[in-house]
Amino acid sequence: MGTFDVIQGDITISRVDAIVNAANTTLLGGGGVDGAIHRAAGPDLFAACVPFNGCPTGEARITPGFELPAKWVIHTPGPVWRGGQHGEAALLAACYRYSLQLAVEHGCRTIDFPSLSTGVYGYPLDQAANIAVRTITDWLTAVDVTVRVRLVAFDSQTAAAYREAQQNLT
Ligand code: AR6
């Protein structure tokens, strides 16, 4: 049970229980939304990520948000797009599910995602949007808790792709 919305904006200013970070398998920061989240959270976030010794693609790890308005950050390495025949779709869906599960285990009821894998990692936007929207809405249907999930699109093209994916569902 719950709601799913698409909004456009900067996830580093989201005042929610948890934001998700499009990380890499080192969990030690990078560019894109990962760089923005680390800059906004401050150096304590990097220090909190070191002890994980990385994270496999499709899983997730949780840290506090430190200087962010968000209470928690959930770090998930999405798949690098390698043409679509290397398990990319299953791994991308796993990122969304793993992150949602970890969030509710930590009592989160408001969770914001960026568009995982569609930047540096090159996942085709329309395909990624369909997987994300399907995975999130299926998960919301299956759980007992009421959770508000949002996809925070950084640009209008990304917002449009996720809104279209929402339409495709019905
Ligand atoms: N708020 C919301 N979305 C954002 C923000 C922001 N502040 N900044 C960028 N985006 P990317 P990936 C969007 O490249 O493809 C890093 O180096 C961006 O426009 O951040 O999963 C990591 O360390 C795009 O739509 O993540 C990894 O090495 C989306 O976030 C690698 O990039 C994802 O783009 C991960 O690549």
Side-chain angles (χ1 to χ4, degrees):
M1 231 166 57
T3 61
F4 173 71
D5 299 304
V6 179
I7 63 164
Q8 195 181 331
D10 175 357
I11 203 167
T12 65
I13 66 168
S14 288
R15 193 169 294 281
V16 289
D17 294 332
I19 63 169
V20 177
N21 181 16
N24 58 59
T25 56
T26 71
L27 299 188
L28 297 179
V33 71
D34 192 5
I37 288 171
H38 274 271
R39 277 193 298 280
D44 288 346
L45 185 62
F46 177 85
C49 287
V50 170
F52 291 123
N53 285 307
C55 175
T57 302
E59 295 190 13
R61 303 290 183 262
I62 190 166
T63 66
F66 298 104
E67 292 173 43
L68 288 165
K71 186 170 182 213
W72 300 100
V73 181
I74 293 168
H75 309 262
T76 186
V80 177
W81 179 256
R82 292 166 59 207
Q85 303 301 313
H86 295 85
E88 291 95 330
L91 286 167
L92 186 62
C95 287
Y96 283 95
R97 273 194 300 270
Y98 206 115
S99 299
L100 289 164
Q101 200 56 43
L102 201 49
V104 295
E105 281 169 18
H106 286 76
C108 300
R109 294 295 177 266
T110 52
I111 304 158
D112 280 6
F113 280 90
S115 175
L116 300 174
S117 283
T118 66
V120 173
Y121 281 179
Y123 209 111
L125 182 56
D126 292 355
Q127 292 182 50
N130 281 314
I131 291 165
V133 170
R134 167 68 64 191
T135 304
I136 291 167
T137 53
D138 283 354
W139 184 88
L140 285 169
T141 307
V143 291
D144 281 336
V145 284
T146 302
V147 182
R148 185 196 75 184
V149 180
R150 299 189 302 188
L151 190 292
V152 182
F154 201 45
D155 54 84
S156 57
Q157 195 200 351
T158 300
Y162 282 83
R163 290 194 174 116
E164 188 173 341
Q166 258 185 310
Q167 305 279 309
N168 291 344
L169 272 187
T170 52

